[in-house]
Amino acid sequence: MSGTTSTTTLLPFQPASMSTAQLAAVSYLARYSGHTHTLYAYELRQWFSWCEMHGLDPLVGVQRAHVELYIRQLTDRGLMDSSVVTMMHGVRGFFRFAHIDGLIPSDPAVYARLPKVHRDESRTQGLDRLELIRFLQVSQTITVHHGALAFLLGINALRASEAAAVRIEDYAETMRGHRVLHLVGKGNKPATMPVTVPVLRVLEACRGERASGRLILRPLTGNPIDRRDVYRMVARIAKTAGIPRHISPHSLRHAAITNALDAGVPLRDAQILARHADPRTTEHYDRARGNLDRHGVHFLTAYVAGV
């Protein structure tokens, strides 16, 4: 392995001093931002470190056998199969784009065997209908900020970072008779979704007299929340609601989607609610027409009526 390769960081090198592997890594990571960038950078640091330990260049001369040995090492560390697959996302992308860019003659990771992940392996603990109702009700008794967060996660199925980033201006517009929320989701993809009356009520309570700025604030300091605050606030609501298991922000997103399906939302419309990017189910229909009228949040709001 080249002595210029560092495993502590992949970013602060000047292009002239970078090895081929470092340049490929920096180029690949430049495609991403936020949490995805942080995750993929961590995964590549782990790969670079393993290669350094075994005297390999992280890019040039790597064979499929090396990649599979690395995968076996991840498994031997005790990682779940789903975690091993996740850890390989950044590594596989790194090799794929290095091959596309002509830095290596072939992609050694494309045929590397990954563990099979069964759908029932997910440890996400969602909420059933009654638990979701209780969660939403209890959230409003803590602070208006907890209430707004709970409804954005549990009805509109926002991710933690998306909910933390919502600004008052983002839901000020009305389109075709619907109050709508504009946001930029995973992969910097813009999305527009309706804000139903119960959700709007808690958002307005949280807004108070403010006309602009981040919607959800830390109740004690008045500063905008971040992803860590979202986790802490969700945990507090779950504890107050007496839900006897670990509940994360993703649990609320999971609950929104599954309860929408239980409420009778067609799978196609639940896909819009979830904003999943699976092209097999989302590429061949027009998101811009009709999805405000039949958006899953309307069905879900009626399903949990009384919150």
Side-chain angles (χ1 to χ4, degrees):
M1 179 176 176
S2 172
T4 62
T5 300
S6 170
T7 59
T8 58
T9 179
L10 297 174
L11 295 179
F13 293 94
Q14 296 300 319
S17 66
M18 288 184 184
S19 68
T20 301
Q22 289 169 347
L23 182 60
V26 171
S27 174
Y28 172 64
L29 292 174
R31 299 169 54 86
Y32 303 98
S33 62
H35 179 67
T36 302
H37 181 280
T38 301
L39 177 63
Y40 285 0
Y42 169 76
E43 292 170 2
L44 288 184
R45 284 196 299 271
Q46 294 296 304
W47 166 250
F48 273 54
S49 178
W50 184 85
C51 289
E52 186 174 47
M53 185 185 307
H54 292 84
L56 298 170
D57 185 281
L59 180 65
V60 179
V62 172
Q63 301 178 19
R64 178 179 56 82
H66 297 136
V67 178
E68 293 197 342
L69 286 171
Y70 177 68
I71 294 171
R72 173 60 62 88
Q73 178 265 156
L74 293 175
T75 302
D76 292 343
R77 282 167 47 184
L79 296 181
M80 293 176 56
D81 287 348
S82 58
S83 298
V84 173
V85 172
T86 297
M87 283 289 291
M88 289 302 297
H89 284 169
V91 176
R92 286 164 65 91
F94 166 67
F95 282 113
R96 182 171 64 253
F97 281 94
H99 181 219
I100 291 172
D101 292 340
L103 298 177
I104 51 177
S106 61
D107 180 351
V110 65
Y111 293 117
R113 183 185 297 272
L114 290 172
K116 292 183 178 180
V117 179
H118 302 285
R119 291 184 178 182
D120 59 359
E121 187 183 1
S122 173
R123 291 184 175 180
T124 299
Q125 294 288 325
L127 304 172
D128 62 28
R129 180 194 179 198
L130 294 180
E131 288 175 328
L132 179 58
I133 292 173
R134 187 163 74 252
F135 189 95
L136 297 175
Q137 289 175 333
V138 167
S139 69
Q140 299 173 80
T141 68
I142 301 176
T143 70
V144 292
H145 303 280
H146 286 79
L149 176 64
F151 275 72
L152 288 173
L153 297 173
I155 296 292
N156 282 75
L158 266 60
R159 298 176 176 89
S161 57
E162 295 167 348
V166 168
R167 300 177 63 86
I168 294 169
E169 303 94 315
D170 294 339
Y171 69 93
E173 185 178 359
T174 298
M175 296 175 57
R176 300 177 54 206
H178 302 279
R179 191 71 169 269
V180 296
L181 170 66
H182 298 289
L183 58 93
V184 177
K186 187 176 181 180
N188 290 321
K189 295 179 181 177
T192 298
M193 58 174 54
V195 179
T196 54
V197 172
V199 178
L200 181 60
R201 185 176 66 240
V202 296
L203 297 190
E204 288 293 273
C206 183
R207 177 178 72 88
E209 300 299 320
R210 294 179 292 137
S212 63
R214 294 272 285 276
L215 174 66
I216 304 174
L217 307 177
R218 295 170 181 166
L220 295 180
T221 66
N223 296 324
I225 64 170
D226 57 24
R227 292 182 72 256
R228 291 172 296 181
D229 295 314
V230 173
Y231 278 82
R232 285 192 288 263
M233 293 168 74
V234 166
R236 180 179 176 184
I237 298 170
K239 181 178 180 180
T240 305
I243 299 174
R245 61 183 183 279
H246 174 71
I247 299 297
S248 69
H250 186 68
S251 302
L252 272 295
R253 176 172 162 80
H254 184 277
I257 297 166
T258 56
N259 278 279
L261 291 170
D262 290 342
V265 176
L267 183 61
R268 174 180 179 272
D269 297 327
Q271 186 80 19
I272 297 173
L273 167 64
R275 293 171 289 117
H276 287 151
D278 188 344
R280 293 171 297 181
T281 56
T282 59
E283 280 183 348
H284 302 297
Y285 60 84
D286 184 359
R287 289 173 178 262
R289 296 185 58 189
N291 58 350
L292 290 178
D293 293 324
R294 63 175 185 270
H295 199 283
V297 299
H298 295 302
F299 294 88
L300 181 55
T301 299
Y303 189 61
V304 295
V307 298

